[in-house]
Amino acid sequence: MTNHSNHPQEYRIPVSQDHIRTLKNPHDESLSIIHAFVRVRDLANGKIHDKINPRSHEDIKWNGRIPSAIRDSIQDDPRLFHLLNRGCLILAKKAWYDNQSKLLHFFIESIDEHGMVDGATTDRVLANLKKEISSADFTSLREEEIPEYLKDAHIHLEIIAGDLTSDVRVKLADARNTSEQVKEFSLEDLGRGFDWIKEVLEKSELRGRVKYRENEPKPVDVRTVLALATLFHPGWEANNKEPMVAYTGKGTVIEIYRKEDWKVGYEKLSPVLVDILKLYEYIHAKFQEQYVKAYGPKAKLGLRKEVRFIKGGKELPLTGISTNYGITDGWLYPLLGSFRMLLSWPKNGRGEVKWAVNPFDYFNQHSSELIQDIVEQSEELGSNPNATGKSRMLWSNLKTKVEMRRMKEEAALVS
């Protein structure tokens, strides 16, 4: 619905002189704050950029609790709507009110810095209402064609205009988006913390698969990307620890990522990030083949209670590879994490990280032994996949086996 062109755009909205006030920021006079009660019928709903908003509004469930409440509010109490609904907050390059024309002007220079930072759900619900009333241009309706509730209803519009730093924009989004808690990864994206990930993934075959904002209609959110990258972060070897938190604390991975001394290590994984994500789903899809290799042709992976058999199969969300088995992350994460020992890091700090051994070939040739270790550990823990994923001993054993085999093969090449 929203036009995401990054061309500068000026908006003009008729507002009564009695319903608008302009204030100066007491700590920065270069910023102005405009408060206005605007008729809903006059607002350009769905046409004001919202990329700066930490939530995506591309796939709103119109019958959901919040959209339904907004719709009921304006239809049942149109004269109270501006009091019952907290309205919309817009960040603009500049904004002003023309007393002669009675028009409120605001100027959006860049959709990365300006636009609707709060209230976009309300805006989209109102846009959808107008679309239901007129599938053509709502503004072309005659007076008698406009429902009474839209004639009476106003909405509170707040515009903050001036040069805002990225830090202030993020803080505004965080503070204002409190009706439903905005996820930390959405705010990190607003602060452009994921730009390097986008740069890598959107140029690969995985483009369009990862969401960086809450509610964005993509199959995998960026926290999964970060969790998988965490398995390969160089900090674990430097600290002689296992990256178990990638499995045990997926919700806190974003906190690790935001640490300045760790963020650099994540970004250094850029050359292999796509491989890591593809490898995760490749291991999932090919797990059954290696299980049979480990336990014989009569082995039935789907009979294990830790595994879910999927009749008809399913496509994995990043790569589209098909599988008939749902493999728990309690098995996949320790196994994938051990493959960090196949990376070659530049010793002098120059150059890029690369694979010392092709990880896909390694999985095909040697992973049956690793899978046996996982299954045996799971059995010892009562076939509890969550306990298996938390087994420090399993993580350490898998890593050691991968490391030792690599060292043995490298030694054989030298000799």
Side-chain angles (χ1 to χ4, degrees), residues 292-306:
V292 169
K293 187 176 176 182
Y295 289 99
K298 294 184 179 180
K300 303 291 184 181
L301 178 62
L303 295 180
R304 301 199 62 88
K305 72 175 188 177
E306 306 98 319

Side-chain angles (χ1 to χ4, degrees), residues 145-163:
E145 293 177 313
I146 300 175
E148 288 299 320
Y149 70 85
L150 280 184
K151 291 180 182 179
D152 295 335
H154 285 70
I155 187 169
H156 177 215
L157 206 62
E158 179 181 1
I159 302 173
I160 300 178
D163 292 322

Side-chain angles (χ1 to χ4, degrees), residues 310-378:
I310 305 168
K311 188 176 181 180
K314 73 167 185 177
E315 288 187 355
L316 298 178
L318 279 169
T319 61
I321 302 175
S322 182
T323 180
N324 289 105
Y325 300 92
I327 310 297
T328 170
D329 280 344
W331 283 12
L332 294 176
Y333 271 54
L335 178 54
L336 180 63
S338 69
F339 280 39
R340 71 187 185 278
M341 306 315 298
L342 301 180
L343 287 177
S344 176
W345 292 89
K347 299 188 184 304
N348 57 6
R350 298 177 181 177
E352 295 183 338
V353 62
K354 58 184 179 181
W355 296 105
V357 177
N358 184 302
F360 299 92
D361 290 344
Y362 186 96
F363 176 80
N364 292 334
Q365 296 170 16
H366 306 300
S367 61
S368 59
E369 180 184 359
L370 303 177
I371 285 175
Q372 277 186 305
D373 288 349
I374 293 170
V375 171
E376 289 171 9
Q377 183 69 15
S378 185

Side-chain angles (χ1 to χ4, degrees), residues 110-128:
S110 165
I111 64 174
D112 295 317
E113 299 178 2
H114 309 128
M116 190 171 292
V117 74
D118 186 33
T121 299
T122 294
D123 177 64
R124 296 302 183 270
V125 171
L126 296 178
N128 192 55

Side-chain angles (χ1 to χ4, degrees), residues 142-304:
R142 298 189 302 274
E143 188 69 16
E144 62 270 20
E145 293 177 313
I146 300 175
E148 288 299 320
Y149 70 85
L150 280 184
K151 291 180 182 179
D152 295 335
H154 285 70
I155 187 169
H156 177 215
L157 206 62
E158 179 181 1
I159 302 173
I160 300 178
D163 292 322
L164 290 166
T165 65
S166 175
D167 181 56
V168 172
R169 290 195 301 271
V170 172
K171 287 181 178 179
L172 274 170
D174 191 9
R176 297 302 183 95
N177 282 268
T178 55
S179 59
E180 285 189 41
Q181 185 180 6
V182 177
K183 290 183 173 59
E184 289 295 311
F185 74 91
S186 296
L187 295 172
E188 184 69 21
D189 179 53
L190 185 56
R192 308 195 69 170
F194 298 138
D195 279 6
W196 72 272
I197 297 178
K198 294 178 182 178
E199 179 72 16
V200 172
L201 298 188
E202 298 309 310
K203 290 182 178 179
S204 76
E205 59 267 48
L206 304 184
R207 62 184 175 275
R209 297 282 182 166
V210 175
K211 65 179 177 183
Y212 303 93
R213 297 189 295 163
E214 188 178 357
N215 299 334
E216 199 171 12
K218 306 289 177 60
V220 178
D221 77 47
V222 72
R223 290 171 300 173
T224 296
V225 174
L226 291 180
L228 297 175
T230 297
L231 295 172
F232 290 79
H233 195 285
W236 304 114
E237 296 312 299
N239 296 316
N240 196 27
K241 292 183 178 180
E242 297 297 327
M244 290 175 55
V245 69
Y247 172 72
T248 61
K250 290 181 182 179
T252 62
V253 164
I254 187 70
E255 296 176 16
I256 298 174
Y257 176 73
R258 294 170 103 172
K259 293 179 179 179
E260 286 301 320
D261 55 336
W262 275 70
K263 206 161 191 176
V264 174
Y266 280 102
E267 292 181 11
K268 286 182 177 178
L269 290 168
S270 294
V272 294
L273 181 62
V274 172
D275 287 339
I276 290 171
L277 302 183
K278 290 168 63 177
L279 184 62
Y280 169 62
E281 293 196 348
Y282 185 85
I283 290 174
H284 189 158
K286 302 296 182 179
F287 196 97
Q288 190 266 348
E289 293 179 11
Q290 297 301 315
Y291 181 83
V292 169
K293 187 176 176 182
Y295 289 99
K298 294 184 179 180
K300 303 291 184 181
L301 178 62
L303 295 180
R304 301 199 62 88

